[in-house]
Amino acid sequence: MMTDLRPNPRGGRHRAACDLCRHKKIKCDNEKPACETCRLAGVPCIITQPAVSEKKSVTEQLAEAQRRIHELEDRITPQPSIRLHIRDSTNFDEAMEIFKWHLSCAGPLSLTSPQKEAFFSIIHDRTGHLFDLDAFAARVGRAYNTTQSTRSTRALVPKWPDGELMRRCIEQYADQHLYSVFPIAEPSRLNALLNEYDSSGLCEREHTVARAFLVAFTAFMTQIHRHLPAFTQAEPDCYIIAALTLLPHLILEPRNIEALQAVLIMAQYITPTGQTESGQLLLSVAIRALYNLGAHRNDPTPANTEHHTHLRALFWACYAMDKEMSIRSSQPPLINDSDCDLDLPPNYIHSTSTHQFIDRPLSGDILLYPSDLRMSLLKSKIYTHLLSPAAKILPEHRKLESIRYLDHELAELKLSFPIHFQPDPVAYLRPDYKVHDFSLRGMNIHLEYYYCLRVIHEASIVSSMTYPGAGPETGRAEPLASSVELYYHAVRSTLLYFVRVEGLVQAPTVWIHAQFILSSVMALFWNMLHTPSANTFHSDLQLLERVRRLFRRLCENCWEGAPLPPLFIFEGFLTMLVNLLNTALSRSK
């Protein structure tokens, strides 16, 4: 049915073509009740006229366009009221999800492990029980809710710290020379930046970047110094959420040092909370900015000459994080060594110094980092020569060459430390073994040494595909006996060392070492299940029990007054493993 024709509001003859003819771009004969085109097509003949609109002036059209632009900007710009999700490990359900993720990277429970089915099978054969993580989570959850029913869950919402708190954080960072360990900001630049921020002397874009950096910096400082009276009322988790709302602006600043620092701080803050994947995403943004600023090279460009030394310090902070994440996940690193100059900073403290291990006042003239940078270089080689896809398809003799080469490099690194601070690969077999290093840096170096030793020699076991229970009939070569021995020495030494440095274990940051502990626990547990008659079974069982009691004590002495869920979960998991092993021992008799 045709519509009535109306006058053309702009004058002249009105276009009367029907919708179908206009769509086909052909002349319409305007016949009624239907034109020839519509009649042959068997469709209604309809003419749709454009809406009548008043003609607007150029000024009115410009104002309307500007209003529309602001409306679209409001839609895509994160507002402080937007709540970004950050996993809070003081919440039991969140902590359990993080725990399961770390467990999925631990030995036979790894998502890519060819041993998973065999692992579940041998548990059932030896104990008569199923290894059901969901049932475990439900059981521990009920126990936690029963014993900690009065514990309240925090509400994490974005909050912006005031200028006075920011200034106290800057003073703490400078006075304690924390740049030596965490080179995340140039001390000489911090006060000037805060003054510019407070005086509104920055343009809108610069102000947003400065705000993101100062808020992230405040979150980081109040988190690592949460016990100091000056920071007890701070809410670092809420500050980091606020800083994250500005992340889209930081991503659009590919050559801004403050933006780079803000993103790196976010990565360093979030990763120790157990959110490794989120930390990797943030780190990838920071690394791209490093490349854009030329920090991966020793030769400064004209644009960054003034800040190049600091940029190189930032590069090494990112490099250490990247290689640690790579070796833990067996995923390719983000930084390719062949693209970078890998000369260590000239003010990086020599590894023979006890400063690596003993807590003492820091100096603004040296760089330490949370662990030894040479360990990071070795981790990169371990991935390239043993864990990468290219390494896995090499002939057996080439893999053995790599294992020997990397083992020698690790031994040389250990010998470079002062004799009383050298990690001992057979500490478990020495009852007189004492812990001389009482610093978090020393703890990190020891645990990373044992982890690297284990990964190197695990490659021999994985390469041969000869696991406990297999034999020569599989047609595979046996793993090196020395590798198997060193592998289990490293596993035991990791757990023994962890127990002996109990005073350095901090409940809120237990996730930092979670994979070291869980992977060692799982390796020892599986080996014990296979050979319950071994002469090491009782001592290994005692070691697992000692680790379990450590988490029990941490629960009882938690600085927050009530055990954090991660501690409760770890203790419950170790209790389950110890009970299964006792059952296997009883059945074997």
Side-chain angles (χ1 to χ4, degrees), residues 481-503:
S482 57
S483 283
V484 174
E485 184 178 6
L486 285 171
Y487 173 80
Y488 284 109
H489 281 330
V491 164
R492 294 177 177 111
S493 295
T494 297
L495 299 177
L496 182 67
Y497 182 82
F498 189 70
V499 169
R500 288 180 170 174
V501 293
E502 179 178 345

Side-chain angles (χ1 to χ4, degrees), residues 376-565:
S376 301
L377 291 168
L378 180 61
K379 292 171 191 172
S380 183
K381 294 178 182 178
I382 290 174
Y383 177 81
T384 300
H385 295 292
L386 296 179
L387 304 179
S388 67
K392 290 179 179 178
I393 61 174
L394 291 174
E396 294 298 317
H397 72 278
R398 291 284 302 279
K399 294 177 185 177
L400 293 179
E401 288 176 0
S402 296
I403 291 170
R404 293 189 181 99
Y405 157 71
L406 292 167
D407 181 70
H408 176 74
E409 281 221 354
L410 183 60
E412 290 292 314
L413 177 59
K414 184 193 75 168
L415 291 174
S416 71
F417 297 133
I419 189 166
H420 292 300
F421 301 93
Q422 293 175 5
D424 191 337
V426 292
Y428 182 77
L429 304 180
R430 287 177 49 189
D432 61 336
Y433 177 72
K434 296 180 181 179
V435 175
H436 297 276
D437 52 301
F438 295 100
S439 70
L440 287 173
R441 190 177 306 105
M443 179 181 181
N444 290 337
I445 290 174
H446 275 70
L447 291 177
E448 289 176 21
Y449 167 83
Y450 295 135
Y451 190 75
C452 287
L453 181 68
R454 183 156 58 84
V455 172
I456 289 171
H457 291 285
E458 185 179 30
S460 171
I461 302 172
V462 173
S463 175
S464 67
M465 291 299 291
T466 304
Y467 305 104
E473 67 276 6
T474 62
R476 301 279 187 175
E478 292 287 337
L480 292 174
S482 57
S483 283
V484 174
E485 184 178 6
L486 285 171
Y487 173 80
Y488 284 109
H489 281 330
V491 164
R492 294 177 177 111
S493 295
T494 297
L495 299 177
L496 182 67
Y497 182 82
F498 189 70
V499 169
R500 288 180 170 174
V501 293
E502 179 178 345
L504 298 177
V505 180
Q506 299 184 34
T509 54
V510 69
W511 298 121
I512 295 177
H513 303 119
Q515 194 166 341
F516 296 149
I517 305 308
L518 285 175
S519 56
S520 296
V521 163
M522 294 306 295
L524 196 59
F525 171 74
W526 197 21
N527 185 57
M528 293 169 68
L529 273 182
H530 276 286
T531 54
S533 59
N535 56 10
T536 58
F537 186 94
H538 289 283
S539 57
D540 288 343
L541 186 62
Q542 183 183 29
L543 178 56
L544 290 179
E545 178 62 28
R546 290 179 68 185
V547 178
R548 187 196 70 80
R549 289 199 299 268
L550 165 62
F551 281 103
R552 167 49 24 200
R553 288 192 296 273
L554 290 174
C555 282
E556 293 171 347
N557 303 315
C558 184
W559 66 278
E560 286 196 343
L564 291 171

Side-chain angles (χ1 to χ4, degrees), residues 263-297:
V263 177
L264 175 58
I265 292 171
M266 292 175 189
Q268 290 187 333
Y269 186 102
I270 287 177
T271 302
T273 66
Q275 300 171 88
T276 307
E277 293 171 300
S278 298
Q280 285 176 319
L281 290 174
L282 290 166
L283 183 62
S284 68
V285 176
I287 288 173
R288 176 46 55 193
L290 280 173
Y291 276 80
N292 290 336
L293 288 163
H296 60 302
R297 293 297 187 189

Side-chain angles (χ1 to χ4, degrees), residues 209-221:
V209 172
R211 189 183 201 195
F213 165 67
L214 289 169
V215 173
F217 176 81
T218 302
F220 183 82
M221 288 295 298

